[in-house]
Amino acid sequence: MIYDHLLVRYGELTLKGANRKMFVNQLRSNVKRSLMPLQGYKVKANRDRMYIELEEGADIKEMSQRLSKVFGIYSISPVLKIDKTMDAIKEQAIEFAKGYNDGDTFKIDVKRSDKQFPYDTYEIQREVGGAVLQGAEHVSVNVRNPDHTIKVEVRLDAVYIYDEVIPGAGGLPVGTGGKTLLMLSGGIDSPVAGMEVMRRGVTIEAIHFHSPPFTSEKAKEKVIELTRILSAHVGPIKLHIVPFTTLQKQVNKVVHERYTMTSTRRMMMRVADKLVHQIDANAIVNGENLGQVASQTLKSMYAINHVTSTPVLRPLLTLDKEEIVKKAKAIGTYDVSIQPFEDCCTIFTPKNPVTEPDFDKVEKYEDGFDFEPLVQEAVDGIETLTITKDYQSDKDTETQALADDLF
Ligand code: ATP
Ligand code: MG
């Protein structure tokens, strides 16, 4: 089938009265970015839907696939724009039906917004349905539960006809909801947390704490790969890699063993907080989940959270692990996340961390040393990468070999 347009339906945008124009403009630019560098199309965004005009040779499959990842899109259909005549509609409907399998069922679904069109909805349905039955004898009608629905939209400018609806990612266009800093480990949870906030229109930058030589280049590569998967939805994502070894060692030196994990998390939070201000973001996002591990009890969250007044968003807070795993699989990060690479926290995890850390105690331990210069040093040492979905890291093989030797 040679389609000439992709019809893009907006999701919740319809609800956003006054902001609608801004949302549509943002979605239009996100769509254009997601289609780059493909050729052969023109984007026309109206108030209520978007048409992507296709030139000959446009790769519809690739385009639809990319668009299905763009937040703010409810669904996509490859469509044909045809003459506003009954004959043209019949002819095209028959063309669709010819492609169906033997014994398949169909129905005709009509939307008629041009009230001047000489046939009403029911007449179109009946006439087109009849024509299909005659023109493609191997199919039959089933209005309740058809294998195929041929949709006919009679609009002011033309008739649009299609029989395929590809689900979109839903949510809101990224760029309409402010910016956050995502704490991205190599685990299962944090990439999912990032996706959850992006779905609501929020832009993310990511921060990763790296502790060489305790964590290897491979662990870093894994985080880059996760960022790459996320960026397929939203375009380039900045990934800030923090040199965390010095801070972590210092924590282990001055803080009581049972409290090192709480304190390490607090240091992460302090670094993240400084970066939030630097990049002009409004919140920190992490993959914490209530009760999952020692660092994620309410008391622990209280002690960790206390070092910042920046809102900390925890989109996975109340989900069950199976639900998170399901989401991770759906977004394609799961297989990367389960690769067995060390992360900086597991390496330093004490045998017996406190699950209900006393907030006063951790502060008392930390008072024994002025961490502020080290926190600042970590921030100053940040390496920032811009990750796109086609990102190729130019791995330094020497460093890689060195890191490998250490394990
Ligand atoms: P995840 O699967 O996201 O690693 P988790 O269940 O393993 O989560 P923790 O390891 O306790 O949980 O980490 C809790 C959260 O802290 C993570 O979801 C992530 O947001 C953040 N975090 C942990 N380690 C790092 C790191 N090395 N760099 C950046 N953020 C981290
Ligand atoms: Mg983890």
Side-chain angles (χ1 to χ4, degrees):
M1 195 68 58
I2 311 291
Y3 294 98
D4 49 29
H5 286 80
L6 282 174
L7 165 59
V8 173
R9 296 176 196 82
Y10 306 151
E12 285 174 46
L13 289 201
T14 11
L15 307 173
K16 298 276 172 183
N19 289 332
R20 187 167 178 129
K21 202 169 165 189
M22 188 261 283
F23 276 70
V24 171
N25 284 341
Q26 183 69 53
L27 185 60
R28 183 204 288 125
S29 77
N30 294 357
V31 160
K32 284 185 174 171
R33 192 179 48 211
S34 85
L35 294 178
M36 264 182 333
L38 303 178
Q39 300 285 324
Y41 61 88
K42 232 182 264 153
V43 179
K44 287 188 289 182
N46 301 335
R47 261 184 73 79
D48 58 342
R49 48 176 39 189
M50 192 183 290
Y51 289 103
I52 300 177
E53 204 179 302
L54 305 169
E55 288 158 22
E56 214 173 303
D59 187 344
I60 295 180
K61 218 169 165 192
E62 173 69 20
M63 288 171 91
S64 312
Q65 214 250 334
R66 289 179 181 219
L67 290 172
S68 69
K69 294 188 167 174
V70 177
F71 294 120
I73 294 180
Y74 181 70
S75 66
I76 305 139
S77 289
V79 304
L80 280 149
K81 184 177 178 180
I82 56 175
D83 287 345
K84 283 172 75 172
T85 65
M86 188 62 104
D87 281 348
I89 301 172
K90 284 181 184 169
E91 195 183 315
Q92 192 50 55
I94 294 170
E95 258 330 281
F96 280 131
K98 281 182 177 164
Y100 301 159
N101 291 331
D102 232 358
D104 275 5
T105 56
F106 76 98
K107 79 167 178 183
I108 307 289
D109 185 80
V110 179
K111 265 201 205 108
R112 176 175 169 268
S113 50
D114 177 8
K115 300 296 174 207
Q116 304 301 316
F117 192 68
Y119 303 88
D120 69 20
T121 304
Y122 178 68
E123 285 167 332
I124 303 171
Q125 244 161 19
R126 202 187 49 206
E127 289 223 11
V128 177
V132 169
L133 287 174
Q134 276 193 351
E137 286 176 356
H138 64 298
V139 297
S140 60
V141 174
N142 179 344
V143 287
R144 285 251 167 79
N145 188 22
D147 299 314
H148 307 274
T149 302
I150 300 176
K151 304 214 181 206
V152 180
E153 294 188 5
V154 183
R155 297 174 78 90
L156 282 179
D157 61 330
V159 167
Y160 293 87
I161 187 165
Y162 54 92
D163 68 348
E164 191 183 357
V165 178
I166 302 159
L172 299 169
V174 171
T176 58
K179 194 201 280 182
T180 56
L181 182 63
L182 168 68
M183 297 176 69
L184 187 61
S185 68
I188 294 171
D189 303 336
S190 43
V192 178
M195 197 67 97
E196 291 292 308
V197 289
M198 292 196 295
R199 241 179 76 77
R200 300 311 299 168
V202 171
T203 305
I204 60 163
E205 295 192 13
I207 184 170
H208 176 69
F209 296 88
H210 185 46
S211 300
F214 307 104
T215 57
S216 69
E217 277 301 296
K218 279 189 189 156
K220 191 163 125 186
E221 290 295 325
K222 186 177 172 187
V223 171
I224 290 175
E225 180 58 16
L226 291 170
T227 312
R228 215 180 57 70
I229 296 171
L230 297 184
S231 79
H233 289 258
V234 295
I237 295 177
K238 279 193 182 151
L239 171 61
H240 305 277
I241 300 187
V242 182
F244 199 50
T245 318
T246 317
L247 257 176
Q248 226 175 342
K249 277 186 172 165
Q250 194 58 41
V251 164
N252 281 271
K253 225 183 261 172
V254 302
V255 173
H256 185 286
E257 197 203 321
R258 297 196 66 203
Y259 276 80
T260 52
M261 183 158 69
T262 312
S263 185
T264 305
R265 300 286 179 180
R266 282 161 58 93
M267 296 305 154
M268 284 188 179
M269 211 46 118
R270 283 170 68 169
V271 173
D273 194 40
K274 281 184 189 281
L275 187 60
V276 157
H277 290 103
Q278 212 166 292
I279 64 172
D280 216 11
N282 312 110
I284 294 168
V285 180
N286 68 28
E288 281 175 342
N289 181 252
L290 204 47
Q292 214 182 71
V293 286
S295 64
Q296 299 180 20
T297 62
L298 272 183
K299 217 167 167 188
S300 181
M301 281 183 207
Y302 181 86
I304 295 165
N305 217 146
H306 208 262
V307 299
T308 173
S309 57
T310 303
V312 178
L313 311 181
R314 300 174 175 88
L316 311 184
L317 189 72
T318 57
L319 296 188
D320 289 346
K321 192 71 189 181
E322 299 89 86
E323 294 175 83
I324 301 174
V325 165
K326 206 165 131 200
K327 282 175 185 280
K329 285 182 176 165
I331 64 175
T333 51
Y334 183 77
D335 288 339
V336 179
S337 290
I338 57 170
Q339 286 169 21
F341 291 125
E342 67 296 326
D343 92 46
C344 64
C345 303
T346 38
I347 279 163
F348 283 96
T349 304
K351 275 187 254 26
N352 190 17
V354 275
T355 51
E356 304 278 310
D358 224 321
F359 149 73
D360 303 338
K361 272 195 187 162
V362 69
E363 298 232 312
K364 206 177 82 219
Y365 292 130
E366 287 174 15
D367 276 348
F369 181 82
D370 181 12
F371 280 97
E372 181 55 26
L374 291 188
V375 170
Q376 188 57 49
E377 201 179 286
V379 174
D380 294 340
I382 285 177
E383 173 197 10
T384 300
L385 306 173
T386 302
I387 310 293
T388 63
K389 72 178 182 38
D390 307 311
Y391 186 87
Q392 299 258 331
S393 72
D394 44 350
K395 254 189 275 175
D396 177 349
T397 40
E398 222 174 87
T399 324
Q400 182 66 59
L402 203 86
D404 286 346
D405 280 347
L406 283 160
F407 283 90

